[in-house]
Each structure stands twice: as C-alpha cells, then as structure tokens.
Amino acid sequence: MDNKLLNEIKKQIEKMSEMMEKMKIADYVELMQSPYRLLWLNFVGGLARGFGMAIGFTLLGAIVIYILQRAVLLNLPIIGNIIAHIIKIVQQNL
C-alpha cells in the first residue's frame, strides 16, 4: 500500500515538474530577481511598440488620404466637396 501511494506521489511530482518547465517559471523568477534587466526589457519593448504604432499610423493615414484623393476624382456631389476641403487642409499643414 505504501509503495503504491509513493509511486502515485512520485508521478504527481514529475507531472508538476514538467508543467513548471513548460511554464518557464525558473526564467520568470530569475527575471524578477533582476530589476534592472526587467526595466531594460520593458523599456526596449515600449520603444518597439511605440515605433510600430508610429509606422502603422503613418501607413494608415497615407492610405486614408490616398483613398480620399481618389474619391475626389470621382466627383461625388456632396462628399467630394467635403473630402476636397479636408485634403486641402491636410496638404496645407504638411
């Protein structure tokens, strides 16, 4: 009975050990013990996110302006005048 219980406990411990390895808890604990490395990684991550947002917003804005310019060429009665005015304002501010 004791050997069966010990084997079951051993299997559970091995299963928990494998789960912890998959979760990379050791890496997380190591990172938490090094605050300067954590700050550095967060700083670099923030820079990358900010740069990505800037590039993405620039591309999105360029696509929107391109579509608006094409819509003006279609001479849509009401929308065309509004879009032309918006494009004029944008071009003056560039």
Side-chain angles (χ1 to χ4, degrees), residues 4-35:
K4 189 175 182 181
L5 181 62
L6 288 175
N7 285 336
E8 188 65 32
I9 292 172
K10 184 179 176 182
K11 286 180 188 178
Q12 289 294 327
I13 290 174
E14 288 175 1
K15 187 186 267 187
M16 287 174 48
S17 174
E18 288 175 14
M19 289 174 57
M20 288 176 71
E21 283 182 30
K22 288 180 184 176
M23 293 171 39
K24 300 193 184 261
I25 289 182
D27 293 339
Y28 178 72
V29 170
E30 182 182 332
L31 183 63
M32 287 296 125
Q33 290 176 349
S34 174

Side-chain angles (χ1 to χ4, degrees), residues 74-90:
L74 294 175
N75 286 329
L76 301 173
I78 298 173
I79 298 173
N81 291 335
I82 295 171
I83 293 172
H85 185 67
I86 291 172
I87 290 175
K88 188 185 293 184
I89 291 171
V90 169

Side-chain angles (χ1 to χ4, degrees), residues 29-43:
V29 170
E30 182 182 332
L31 183 63
M32 287 296 125
Q33 290 176 349
S34 174
Y36 294 114
R37 183 166 184 258
L38 181 63
L39 286 172
W40 175 251
L41 289 175
N42 283 328
F43 176 73

